[in-house]
Amino acid sequence: MRRDVFQAIADPTRRAIIMLVAVQSMTPNALAEHFDTTRQAVSKHLRILTECELLKQNQSGREIYYQLNGDKMKEIDHWLAQFKKIWESRFNQLDDVLATLKKEKKSNI
Amino acid sequence: MRRDVFQAIADPTRRAIIMLVAVQSMTPNALAEHFDTTRQAVSKHLRILTECELLKQNQSGREIYYQLNGDKMKEIDHWLAQFKKIWESRFNQLDDVLATLKKEKKSNI
DNA sequence: TATTTGCGAAACCAATCGGTTTCTAATTTA
DNA sequence: TAAATTAGAAACCGATTGGTTTCGCAAATA
């Protein structure tokens, strides 16, 4: 199953997990206390976050500490930067102006 | 139906639409040419993007130009900034150190 | 050693998703 | 005015999602 960072952060619970784990590594049980669901449900979220490499596991006996992989978050950053580049440079392009003119021409006839 | 920006950008086709529309406003038909799906499928994506206010409609006769609402993209930006704040300040906190010590103590016995 | 604890896996379920085809309405255009 | 074009709505479909309960396994503890 192909896991995607964007699909991973689509779920609010997973976004909350990311924030919690960003502060400090946590076990599934500790995380589950913050939510109104079962540990198993949290475990499923952790699996998805781990599969797309947003989290890393750190086993200590029978406990598993989940910690954030900050680097992976940069993928979102990168996409946003890419967008901003286009968004900010679009004012230098004639495309929008032309589209507007075309539209106005049509509706003014 | 509650529409969420994060859920909206979870789909790769929708992310591509965002990029295309960031360059210049486009109609559903023009957008659909860039994808291997029907116009109706693209229309559904546009509906979702519009509902969460990432896109705005601009009708011109029977054509509807979809244009990007750059402000809404800032929501993602804001979330990322929030995360970075936590992520970068966590090194100043003792939590991680304490957790590590606790872990090491346990596994060394 | 027996019991408890922490965890993931599996099986199941209703709801949602992304896609299709078909249909309807409105605006161009011939 | 008739035909073509643009676009959303509706009905449908299989796959995926996020949740549950039940289970098994390994590690800690009594």
Side-chain angles (χ1 to χ4, degrees):
Chain A
M1 206 175 300
R2 189 75 209 90
R3 289 297 180 188
D4 182 271
V5 181
F6 293 95
Q7 188 246 327
I9 63 162
D11 184 84
T13 304
R14 285 199 289 270
R15 286 200 300 280
I17 289 175
I18 287 173
M19 290 300 186
L20 285 167
V21 170
V23 176
Q24 69 175 114
S25 313
M26 288 175 86
T27 64
N29 265 324
L31 281 164
E33 280 173 21
H34 290 82
F35 303 101
D36 198 21
T37 57
T38 60
R39 177 190 52 81
Q40 284 88 340
V42 171
S43 225
K44 276 187 157 193
H45 286 305
L46 291 171
R47 187 172 186 272
I48 289 165
L49 289 166
T50 306
E51 274 177 0
C52 77
E53 295 176 298
L54 273 169
L55 298 189
K56 280 184 287 188
Q57 295 180 324
N58 211 321
Q59 189 132 10
S60 159
R62 70 183 165 188
E63 289 179 327
I64 298 177
Y65 285 87
Y66 283 87
Q67 75 176 120
L68 202 83
N69 174 14
D71 272 357
K72 202 68 181 180
M73 290 291 282
K74 286 180 188 163
E75 267 186 34
I76 306 162
D77 225 359
H78 178 251
W79 182 76
L80 260 189
Q82 222 180 327
F83 156 76
K84 274 182 202 163
K85 202 179 155 189
I86 298 172
W87 180 246
E88 272 147 27
S89 75
R90 91 196 185 287
F91 294 109
N92 304 325
Q93 296 177 344
L94 283 172
D95 302 319
D96 247 20
V97 183
L98 292 174
T100 309
L101 285 176
K102 192 181 161 200
K103 190 192 112 191
E104 283 171 358
K105 197 189 93 194
K106 282 188 178 177
S107 44
N108 284 346
I109 291 173
Chain B
M1 206 175 300
R2 189 75 207 89
R3 291 296 180 189
D4 183 272
V5 181
F6 293 95
Q7 189 245 326
I9 64 162
D11 184 84
T13 304
R14 284 198 290 267
R15 285 200 300 281
I17 289 175
I18 286 172
M19 289 301 185
L20 285 168
V21 171
V23 175
Q24 70 176 114
S25 312
M26 289 175 85
T27 63
N29 265 325
L31 281 164
E33 279 173 22
H34 291 82
F35 303 102
D36 197 24
T37 58
T38 60
R39 177 190 51 80
Q40 284 86 341
V42 171
S43 224
K44 276 188 159 192
H45 286 305
L46 291 172
R47 188 172 186 271
I48 289 165
L49 289 166
T50 307
E51 274 178 0
C52 76
E53 295 176 296
L54 272 169
L55 298 189
K56 280 184 287 189
Q57 294 180 326
N58 210 320
Q59 189 130 12
S60 159
R62 71 183 165 188
E63 289 180 326
I64 298 176
Y65 285 86
Y66 283 87
Q67 76 176 119
L68 202 82
N69 175 13
D71 272 357
K72 202 66 180 182
M73 289 292 282
K74 285 181 188 162
E75 266 186 34
I76 306 162
D77 223 359
H78 178 251
W79 181 77
L80 259 189
Q82 223 180 327
F83 156 75
K84 274 182 203 161
K85 202 177 155 190
I86 296 172
W87 179 246
E88 272 148 26
S89 73
R90 91 196 186 288
F91 294 110
N92 304 325
Q93 296 177 344
L94 283 171
D95 301 320
D96 249 19
V97 184
L98 292 174
T100 309
L101 286 176
K102 192 181 161 199
K103 190 193 111 191
E104 283 171 358
K105 199 188 93 192
K106 280 189 179 176
S107 44
N108 284 346
I109 290 175

